[in-house]
Amino acid sequence: QILRTLGESSARGPERDVMRDAGLVGREHELATLLEAVEQAPTTGPSVILLHASSGFGKTRLLDELSSRLHAAGSLCLVGRCFERDATPYKALDGLVDALALE
């Protein structure tokens, strides 16, 4: 998005947008399980869902869909990632703080 704003092209951007627009394919059961977990979560405070699977399973796409649906329903859904080699202190929370700043 930044590159497009600056008038530059990005080799990865359009492909990612196409994948996102293609819809969720083959993970309807997993999405239903996540939506059920959200419905059963206590409403008295924040909740956390840990999604773990092998590389290439489609975790990012699944979370994108979950996040979109929760956002459309009026929920605040923060998604963060941390990387093993990242030297940022509290790396698991860094992306969540960034997401809160954008809200």
Side-chain angles (χ1 to χ4, degrees):
Q1 288 176 342
I2 292 170
L3 291 173
R4 277 186 248 139
T5 301
L6 296 174
E8 301 290 326
S9 64
S10 170
R12 293 184 58 94
E15 286 127 9
R16 180 131 171 112
D17 291 343
V18 167
M19 291 300 292
R20 184 170 289 133
D21 293 342
L24 191 65
V25 178
R27 296 289 177 247
E28 292 81 9
H29 173 74
E30 289 81 0
L31 179 61
T33 300
L34 288 170
L35 289 169
E36 184 178 330
V38 168
E39 288 177 15
Q40 294 178 0
T43 58
T44 57
S47 297
V48 175
I49 295 174
L50 174 63
L51 178 62
H52 184 311
S54 300
S55 178
F57 178 81
K59 298 178 296 293
T60 300
R61 181 64 190 97
L62 186 59
L63 288 178
D64 283 348
E65 183 67 25
L66 177 66
S67 177
S68 293
R69 290 189 185 200
L70 293 176
H71 185 74
S75 295
L76 174 62
C77 181
L78 303 176
V79 178
R81 297 177 80 172
C82 59
F83 299 94
E84 187 176 344
R85 294 185 181 112
D86 192 351
T88 306
Y90 305 105
K91 61 186 172 185
L93 301 177
D94 187 54
L96 300 180
V97 172
D98 289 346
L100 277 174
L102 294 174
E103 281 297 318

